[in-house]
């Protein structure tokens, strides 16, 4: 039984609430030829991937971590590591703005 005035959050509800607030658990990137590539939203990046991004050297290394097997096709479609990292930074920045305003559902 819950105690009055005690905060209790249901994990799945909180995750769903934040996922809806930031537009989903994946970030989509469309190249000029119309192909769409995805990487985990910074809010939902697992610990191993976050460590790999931090450890990667330069934009190319970080882009390889973010896109994984999609990276070569991304480059063939006109994408580049620097621009992908700009998208990543934009997603992080937007996330920070959203987190400041969002109040998750408890249930």
């Amino acid at each position: 039984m819950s105690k009055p005035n005690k905060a209790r959050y249901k994990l799945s509800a909180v995750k769903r609430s934040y996922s809806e607030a930031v537009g989903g658990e994946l970030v989509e990137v469309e190249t000029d030829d119309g192909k769409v590539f995805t990487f985990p939203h910074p809010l939902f990046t697992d610990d191993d991937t976050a460590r790999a991004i931090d450890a990667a050297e330069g934009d190319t290394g970080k882009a390889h971590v973010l896109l994984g097997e999609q990276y070569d096709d991304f480059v063939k479609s006109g994408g580049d590591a620097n621009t992908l990292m700009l998208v990543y930074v934009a997603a992080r920045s937007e996330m920070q703005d959203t987190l400041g305003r969002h109040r998750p559902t408890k249930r």
Side-chain angles (χ1 to χ4, degrees), residues 6-82:
K6 181 153 181 150
R8 178 181 290 181
Y9 294 89
K10 187 170 184 181
L11 294 178
S12 60
V14 170
K15 185 174 183 178
R16 183 175 47 254
S17 176
Y18 276 107
S19 177
E20 290 170 3
V22 298
E25 293 182 36
L26 296 174
V27 175
E28 293 183 348
V29 179
E30 183 176 345
T31 51
D32 289 341
D33 65 359
K35 293 185 181 168
V36 177
F37 301 88
T38 61
F39 61 85
H41 191 284
L43 187 60
F44 298 104
T45 302
D46 63 73
D47 291 343
D48 290 338
T49 302
R51 279 191 288 275
I53 292 168
D54 290 343
E57 289 194 30
D59 289 346
T60 301
K62 292 179 187 325
H64 272 285
V65 173
L66 284 172
L67 291 179
E69 295 176 1
Q70 303 174 86
Y71 183 77
D72 289 337
D73 289 335
F74 175 72
V75 172
K76 288 176 188 172
S77 290
D80 63 88
N82 181 261

